[in-house]
Amino acid sequence: MSNDWGSVTTVAAHLAVATAQPVITLLGDANVTVEAATTYADAGATAVDALDGNLTTAIVLTGTVELNATGVRLLRYNVADAGGTAAVEKVRTVNVVDTTSPVITLLGDANATHVINTAWVDPGTTASDTLDGNLSNQVTISGTVDVNATGNYVLTYSVSDGA
């Protein structure tokens, strides 16, 4: 540096210029399928920058995985370095599915002996589903019991969940 009264020289200054963006790396798969009404633990991501180093703790994650309904959920990972240069966004797609069948529970024995010419009273059932909850009032019965004739009769109980 110099002016009318003289000049001053300093030691050489080194300036690092980083032009590369930070890089986000997803841990685990970019596309995940998870069963509804269970739990989901995201695998997360890491981020590094040539100048700032490890930026993993600075990652901003947006989106949530709602497990009480089926559908596609997007988790978005973003980060920027100290100079404000943003990484290319990474997105994890979480597909929430319902592949678990409902469960029917017979009330009473599965095999019953009944006295002829007396009214048949079905002991009933309960039905539940991990996602849809109590489905007992949606159980259908096929087959009949002819209380006026001896024989073997089969009653079939069925129920379906929303999926």
Side-chain angles (χ1 to χ4, degrees), residues 8-160:
V8 175
T9 302
T10 66
V11 293
H14 296 281
L15 178 62
V17 178
T19 58
Q21 295 173 292
V23 176
I24 299 172
T25 303
L26 289 179
L27 301 175
D29 295 331
N31 295 298
V32 177
T33 299
V34 62
E35 185 71 21
T38 62
T39 58
Y40 173 73
D42 189 63
T46 61
V48 294
D49 181 66
L51 195 57
D52 293 336
N54 188 343
L55 295 175
T56 300
T57 59
I59 292 174
V60 176
L61 173 62
T62 57
T64 58
V65 179
E66 170 60 48
L67 294 168
N68 291 325
T70 59
V72 175
R73 313 292 188 259
L74 300 178
L75 297 178
R76 299 178 181 280
Y77 300 83
N78 288 286
V79 72
D81 63 18
T85 303
V88 173
E89 178 180 76
K90 294 290 184 167
V91 178
R92 186 182 324 274
T93 302
V94 180
N95 187 24
V96 180
V97 298
D98 180 10
T99 61
T100 302
S101 298
V103 175
I104 297 175
T105 303
L106 295 176
L107 302 177
D109 292 328
N111 296 304
T113 301
H114 184 71
V115 178
I116 194 168
N117 296 325
T118 60
W120 165 254
V121 177
D122 190 314
T125 62
T126 62
S128 63
D129 183 68
T130 55
L131 183 60
D132 296 331
N134 187 346
L135 300 173
S136 297
N137 63 351
Q138 297 176 34
V139 174
T140 59
I141 305 169
S142 61
T144 58
V145 176
D146 184 351
V147 296
N148 299 314
T150 59
N152 291 319
Y153 301 95
V154 176
L155 299 176
T156 303
Y157 302 85
S158 303
V159 71
S160 295

